[in-house]
Amino acid sequence: MGKFSENLKTCRKRLHVSQEVVAVNCKIAYGTYRRYESGDREPCLSTFCAFADYFGVTLDQLAGREPLPDTTDEGA
C-alpha cells in the first residue's frame, strides 16, 4: 500500500466515517473508493482534490509529501 492510500485511510478513520460515506460525499462509486484506499488505483486530479477538501488536508499531505496534521490534541 502506498503513502497516498495509507493517508486516505488514516484521514477517513480520524473522521470516524465509512468508506461509503466518503465515496458519497466525494461523488464517486463506493467500489472505486475502496480501490483507492487499498492501493489498487489512483484518482484523477479532480477526485484527489475532492478528497483533500473533504478531509481538510492539503494535496501534499494527502500524497505523503508532507505529514498529516497532528490530531493528538483534539478534544483536549
Side-chain angles (χ1 to χ4, degrees), residues 33-65:
Y33 179 83
R34 281 191 0 238
R35 287 187 287 281
Y36 293 150
E37 202 172 280
S38 71
D40 292 338
R41 290 188 64 184
E42 291 185 359
C44 65
L45 183 58
S46 61
T47 302
F48 193 72
C49 289
F51 290 146
D53 290 344
Y54 180 76
F55 292 121
V57 297
T58 67
L59 295 174
D60 280 341
Q61 289 169 330
L62 194 56
R65 294 169 45 110

Side-chain angles (χ1 to χ4, degrees), residues 10-32:
T10 297
C11 287
R12 178 180 60 80
K13 288 185 174 235
R14 285 181 177 179
L15 288 183
H16 305 287
V17 295
S18 68
Q19 291 177 333
E20 188 171 11
V21 167
V22 176
V24 167
N25 280 283
C26 292
K27 297 176 177 52
I28 60 170
Y30 168 61
T32 301

